[in-house]
Amino acid sequence: MTGHWALYQDTLLPRQDAKTDIEDRGYQFGDGVYEVIRVYSGELFLAEAHAKRMEKSLRELSISFPDCSERVIKGAQLLVEAEGIDDGIVYLQITRGAAPRVHQFPSKDTVPVFTGTAGPLPRSLELMGQGITVLLLPDIRWLRNDIKSLNLLGAVLSKQRAKEKGCYEAILERNGIMTEGSSSNLFIVKDGTLITHPANNLILNGITRQEIIKLATTRNIPVQEVPFTIEEFFRSDEAFICGTTTEIMPITQIKTLDSPDAVRSSALASGTPGPITRKLQDLFSDLVTRCGGGS
Ligand code: PMP
């Protein structure tokens, strides 16, 4: 993000004045958590849910950060106002703080470092109408993907691989079961039912994922949170990924790697966004418009 401002310990600073210690544990170990909050028409979208998830991630890592929700929302608002964001995103991060480098937790008086930035991001409306190509890869990440931690190397390597193969996202498989995308959740539709991986340690329980499940349920679209296989994914009637920046992105094409250089490509179902995906996109856009006051 290329904003002019940064949040540092609850306070706005000109971006170039915001600095962290060389022994910040976020920098050395990825020992911290983060959130990305969407902004539509200058309003934070689902900010409370993001703040609550940040609290949960902090709890899982035993990082003590009093009044987390209030501070996260306040910090995000400060950044949105300072940068004059219309449609955009806010990035917020809390690390365990700076301390001499040993793996175990530092002394209790170590102060967590809370930072943030914000920048504009237009909605990808064209791509959402068109659909995307994804690359199927093994899920090489750790076993606590429910924590939104700064340790993102598995995601970084997967997304880079996808980009090199001309794909928008890497979607990941563990022991034959589809888990999620490198930075998104994955849904399929089969015989009118929406299916997504259960919210356990193998995936991040996306705020967008939760919103989609609520939207579907209120519209009597059946939802199952159950594991599904690679074969079920390939045989699905529709599929999409979702996330805070991605919204609801239809998958129309899947690439697989027979070897590092041999890419195989196949259309998902008709190769165009399906009707339930489109319906959910419309419902989600209504929500965005209501929350953001128009977009
Ligand atoms: N899974 C992973 C691994 C992610 O990084 C993200 C995006 N942060 C998501 C799912 C989607 O989560 P959300 O809808 O909360 O952005």
Side-chain angles (χ1 to χ4, degrees):
M1 253 173 293
T2 52
H4 300 290
W5 296 94
L7 190 76
Y8 182 78
Q9 306 295 50
D10 306 287
T11 305
L12 278 181
L13 292 178
R15 190 194 159 107
Q16 67 273 16
D17 296 341
K19 306 263 191 291
T20 194
D21 193 278
I22 193 103
E23 288 190 296
D24 188 308
R25 291 179 63 96
Y27 180 57
Q28 292 190 326
F29 295 109
D31 188 0
V33 303
Y34 75 103
E35 278 295 329
V36 176
I37 305 177
R38 222 8 166 130
V39 183
Y40 294 114
S41 303
E43 301 282 334
L44 295 172
F45 184 60
L46 304 173
E48 288 76 16
H50 284 281
K52 285 272 166 258
R53 185 171 64 186
M54 200 151 192
E55 270 182 6
K56 178 180 176 292
S57 296
L58 288 167
R59 214 167 34 244
E60 294 291 346
L61 299 185
S62 304
I63 295 176
S64 167
F65 187 77
D67 306 317
C68 174
S69 278
E70 294 80 355
R71 291 167 72 183
V72 160
I73 292 170
K74 181 80 194 144
Q77 278 164 344
L78 286 173
L79 284 164
V80 169
E81 280 161 32
E83 298 286 2
I85 306 281
D86 185 26
D87 284 353
I89 51 170
V90 180
Y91 175 83
L92 297 160
Q93 171 177 307
I94 300 169
T95 74
R96 200 182 300 277
R101 187 188 180 280
V102 290
H103 286 65
Q104 65 270 28
F105 296 173
S107 66
K108 289 239 177 305
D109 54 8
T110 305
V111 182
V113 175
F114 175 33
T115 54
T117 50
L121 184 75
R123 301 181 67 196
S124 303
L125 294 173
E126 202 181 331
L127 210 51
M128 284 194 271
Q130 225 170 280
I132 54 160
T133 304
V134 294
L135 180 68
L136 177 62
L137 287 177
D139 194 338
I140 58 169
R141 305 171 307 160
W142 72 331
L143 294 173
R144 289 304 306 274
N145 296 302
D146 53 315
I147 304 171
K148 202 163 167 62
S149 95
L150 299 177
N151 277 276
L152 288 174
L153 269 183
V156 167
L157 296 181
S158 305
K159 184 79 95 183
Q160 176 61 21
R161 207 66 189 307
K163 189 184 167 203
E164 285 164 5
K165 301 298 176 194
C167 297
Y168 181 90
E169 172 64 306
I171 48 160
L172 309 174
E173 153 275 317
R174 193 187 287 273
N175 300 325
I177 298 294
M178 301 302 305
T179 52
E180 60 179 337
S182 72
S183 62
S184 56
N185 289 118
L186 174 65
F187 281 80
I188 58 170
V189 178
K190 190 66 189 172
D191 300 328
T193 297
L194 211 48
I195 306 170
T196 194
H197 196 284
N200 60 14
N201 61 308
L202 297 181
I203 68 157
L204 182 76
N205 188 7
I207 306 299
T208 320
R209 172 189 183 279
Q210 295 171 51
E211 242 6 82
I212 289 167
I213 292 173
K214 277 189 225 157
L215 284 175
T217 308
T218 57
R219 301 297 155 130
N220 296 320
I221 301 170
V223 182
Q224 286 182 0
E225 294 180 68
V226 293
F228 59 92
T229 63
I230 301 175
E231 292 73 28
E232 286 171 303
F233 171 58
F234 273 92
R235 286 201 307 266
S236 63
D237 301 328
E238 303 177 33
F240 62 85
I241 56 164
C242 64
T244 295
T245 52
T246 316
E247 299 192 13
I248 298 176
M249 197 61 87
I251 297 172
T252 49
Q253 200 80 20
I254 310 164
K255 287 187 182 175
T256 49
L257 295 177
D258 291 338
S259 70
D261 293 320
V263 181
R264 202 192 320 207
S265 190
S266 56
L268 187 116
S270 67
T272 56
I276 293 186
T277 306
R278 285 194 182 287
K279 175 80 190 156
L280 289 167
Q281 283 180 317
D282 288 345
L283 293 171
F284 193 80
S285 275
D286 288 348
L287 203 64
V288 164
T289 312
R290 278 206 304 277
C291 288
S295 188

